[in-house]
Amino acid sequence: EVGGRAALPIWLEFMKSAHEKLPVMNFTVPAGVKIIKVDVDSGKLANSRSTKTINQAYIDGTEPTAASSRTEESTDFLKQDLDN
């Protein structure tokens, strides 16, 4: 058995009952943290051509500044021939 199959249902049941009477609260982004939409393939800022994006948290000043472009070639290291 793996954790997702064996332990997760037990954890979910426990957490549901543990939080049953607690108020619903939204997460507040801490000061000095920015949430930036990033292109999954390039790791750069997402643009209108980005097909896969995620919202990523960065400490202010560490976020990417360049936008992704379709012309960038991404390297898939899992498919590279290791004999070269």
Side-chain angles (χ1 to χ4, degrees), residues 38-76:
V38 176
D39 184 284
V40 171
D41 296 323
S42 71
K44 296 182 179 182
L45 295 173
N47 62 31
S48 60
R49 292 190 214 161
S50 299
T51 55
K52 293 187 278 181
T53 63
I54 58 169
N55 290 326
Q56 183 68 44
Y58 291 94
I59 295 173
D60 195 16
T62 65
E63 68 274 5
T65 56
S68 64
S69 73
R70 283 283 228 200
T71 59
E72 290 178 345
E73 187 173 328
S74 62
T75 302
D76 189 343

Side-chain angles (χ1 to χ4, degrees), residues 2-59:
V2 294
R5 181 167 287 175
L8 183 60
I10 297 167
W11 177 252
L12 289 175
E13 185 178 329
F14 167 78
M15 291 305 289
K16 283 179 185 177
S17 63
H19 288 127
E20 193 171 60
K21 294 182 177 141
L22 296 176
V24 175
M25 297 171 53
N26 290 326
F27 176 77
T28 303
V29 177
V33 174
K34 291 182 178 179
I35 306 296
I36 306 290
K37 188 171 283 212
V38 176
D39 184 284
V40 171
D41 296 323
S42 71
K44 296 182 179 182
L45 295 173
N47 62 31
S48 60
R49 292 190 214 161
S50 299
T51 55
K52 293 187 278 181
T53 63
I54 58 169
N55 290 326
Q56 183 68 44
Y58 291 94
I59 295 173

